[in-house]
Amino acid sequence: MNTTSGKQWITKGILLAPALLLGACASSGQARFSDNLRAEGSHMNGIAERWEEGHEQMSKGEKMRDQARDDLKESEAAMRKGDSRVNTARAQIEGQQSAYRAAVRVLGGASTPKDVRKEADKLEDIASRWEDGLEMLGDGTELAEEGRAGIREAELKMAESGRLIESGRQKMQASELAYRATVNPHEPAAKAQRRDVSDAPRPLPAQY
């Protein structure tokens, strides 16, 4: 390889790296950064493998993040529904307690079996509604607790997904820097890192 063609190859490699990495975020029908690296020769396999490891880790983190978001929404909805049911149940219980206290103040004046049955039916109705409130209270409390537990679990998954995404991103960017160092070994690592941070367009999106 003559000097002129060698310089052209180096320049082409430096300019191609961001575009190649951006290709990883495009449709699956386009070649990935690692595929392009392997196409350049077996000496690029190690860099390609590290990039693929980071890409897989990042994809896993994104799937975990999306699932955690769905779980969080469902758990928050369950918690709200449970809390609402608890509030309704407490109001019903308190209402029947008040109804019972009011009823017993006028009981005892029955003069016929029919009047006694009316008093008994009224107490039975109060007792039944009271029991319904207690059952609703238990169900609502259980649902709200399950929702809160689901929220805690979803938040842990969100944090873990963030670590996976960031770790994968770093591996992919490190592979890109290694590629640049290979095609231009005279470029200082610090300069390559600065270009990775400041060049536009960025190889990877900044937000997840």
Side-chain angles (χ1 to χ4, degrees), residues 127-149:
S128 178
R129 293 175 183 273
W130 194 335
E131 289 172 345
D132 290 344
L134 290 172
E135 183 177 353
M136 187 188 301
L137 179 63
D139 292 343
T141 299
E142 182 177 355
L143 182 59
E145 290 176 350
E146 289 177 355
R148 290 185 175 87

Side-chain angles (χ1 to χ4, degrees), residues 97-149:
Q97 289 173 336
S98 298
Y100 171 73
R101 288 191 293 268
V104 296
R105 284 197 293 266
V106 297
L107 292 178
S111 57
T112 64
K114 184 177 180 179
D115 292 337
V116 172
R117 289 192 182 94
K118 287 182 179 180
E119 291 180 349
D121 289 343
K122 186 172 184 178
L123 291 176
E124 178 62 29
D125 182 63
I126 292 173
S128 178
R129 293 175 183 273
W130 194 335
E131 289 172 345
D132 290 344
L134 290 172
E135 183 177 353
M136 187 188 301
L137 179 63
D139 292 343
T141 299
E142 182 177 355
L143 182 59
E145 290 176 350
E146 289 177 355
R148 290 185 175 87

Side-chain angles (χ1 to χ4, degrees), residues 17-18 20-22 24-25 33 37 47-55 57-58 164-181 189 192-199 201-208:
L20 289 173
L21 192 52
L22 277 171
C25 301
F33 179 55
L37 285 178
I47 297 176
E49 288 173 0
R50 288 194 295 274
W51 188 93
E52 288 170 347
E53 181 181 349
H55 182 266
Q57 194 172 29
M58 198 169 177
L164 283 173
I165 290 171
E166 181 58 27
S167 176
R169 184 211 303 271
Q170 290 176 1
K171 288 178 181 178
M172 293 169 73
Q173 290 179 337
S175 297
E176 181 191 356
L177 292 177
Y179 172 74
R180 288 176 175 174
Q193 180 65 48
R194 285 196 300 272
R195 173 165 45 241
D196 179 63
V197 172
S198 61
D199 278 358
R202 293 182 59 84
L204 289 172
Q207 297 294 330
Y208 288 88

Side-chain angles (χ1 to χ4, degrees), residues 21-62:
L21 192 52
L22 277 171
C25 301
S27 65
S28 58
Q30 297 179 352
R32 299 195 309 177
F33 179 55
S34 58
D35 297 329
N36 286 290
L37 285 178
R38 293 183 190 281
E40 291 191 18
S42 59
H43 63 290
M44 292 293 185
N45 285 347
I47 297 176
E49 288 173 0
R50 288 194 295 274
W51 188 93
E52 288 170 347
E53 181 181 349
H55 182 266
E56 291 175 2
Q57 194 172 29
M58 198 169 177
S59 297
K60 180 180 179 181
E62 289 172 343

